[in-house]
Amino acid sequence: MSGPTVEISNVHKSYGGKQAVRDLSLTVDPGECLALVGHNGAGKTTLMKLMLGLVRSSAGSVRVFGDDPGESAAVRDRFGIGFLPETVSFDAAMTGTEVMAFFARLKGVAVADGMALLERVELADAAPARIKTYSKGMRQRLGLAQALLGEPRLLLLDEPTTGLDPNLRQAFYGIIRELCAGGTSVILSSHILTELEARTDRVAIMNQGRLVACDTLDALRDRAGLAVRVRLRVKQGDAAAIASRLRSSADLARVNGQYVDLACGLGDKMMVLRDIAALGPDVVDVEIVPPTFDEVYNHFCLKEDRS
Ligand code: ATP
């Protein structure tokens, strides 16, 4: 099937008087990995539920594989949408094998596929054990395996890495990368902003139901225009003298012992570095720290709050 996987146009969703999603438009292409970020209550889960057809929009249109998911469950069945909810719970008395067999039958998928997925999420050894003996991370991986049943072309993952240790998180993003390479669109929400760097194609920032920015992280950094920090390590006692010799347009943020901290615009960075190089061997080391994703996120949320 050609065309975007998801096409959302001017969607509003209210629960009673509460506006959970406001005038939101978004397109997600096949093979794309999109991260949804936002404060608690920003509307991320509601947006996923709209794509799943679990709630209907109050206005605007939601199209998944060209159809309205709220009108026909066939969208889910025909193209396969995998969903990992924020709070994943299984019958504690069942084993991992039984849970996967249950969901495989429910989705009309071969039970053997479920077992292969348990291996893929590194739960094969724990498969005969009851869920009540599983750690939070193991339950989360079982939830991911369940969501992957039926080779979904759209995967919606609500805070999927909560409870995963750094190794498992890395393995999780490895699976996501493979799925996207195969053409699956993945939309995941997360509060762990640092983990999204270099792992998602675009980041959609939501604030109070609105989509306040949606772009690659590099583009968001550029648009935010936040300062780059440059830290010089100098010979002991030289910091103040070095600071006074700097000619460039960088702002002097702090002089502290062996360190001179500067801040400059992204566009001025090379000029500042040339000035630093001209200072010669008195500068022992240079560290460049671009704006963090947390800062970029705060920039767009605060901008929206002020407007
Ligand atoms: P979190 O990061 O905490 O999971 P979220 O970004 O996923 O939050 P949503 O769960 O979509 O946010 O909630 C958006 C807003 O809609 C919140 O104000 C929430 O209280 C409200 N809301 C969500 N579901 C319902 C519901 N079924 N009935 C009434 N209000 C709801």
Side-chain angles (χ1 to χ4, degrees), residues 15-16 18-21 38-47 49 86 158-159 191:
Y15 295 107
K18 173 82 203 169
Q19 281 199 293
V21 172
H39 297 338
N40 290 127
K44 306 178 294 292
T45 303
T46 302
L47 189 60
K49 287 183 179 170
E86 184 177 354
D158 205 350
E159 299 184 32
H191 286 289

Side-chain angles (χ1 to χ4, degrees), residues 80-103:
I81 303 181
F83 177 47
L84 175 63
E86 184 177 354
T87 314
V88 58
S89 76
F90 302 106
D91 184 338
M94 288 171 89
T95 65
T97 308
E98 286 167 349
V99 166
M100 283 307 277
F102 170 78
F103 280 103

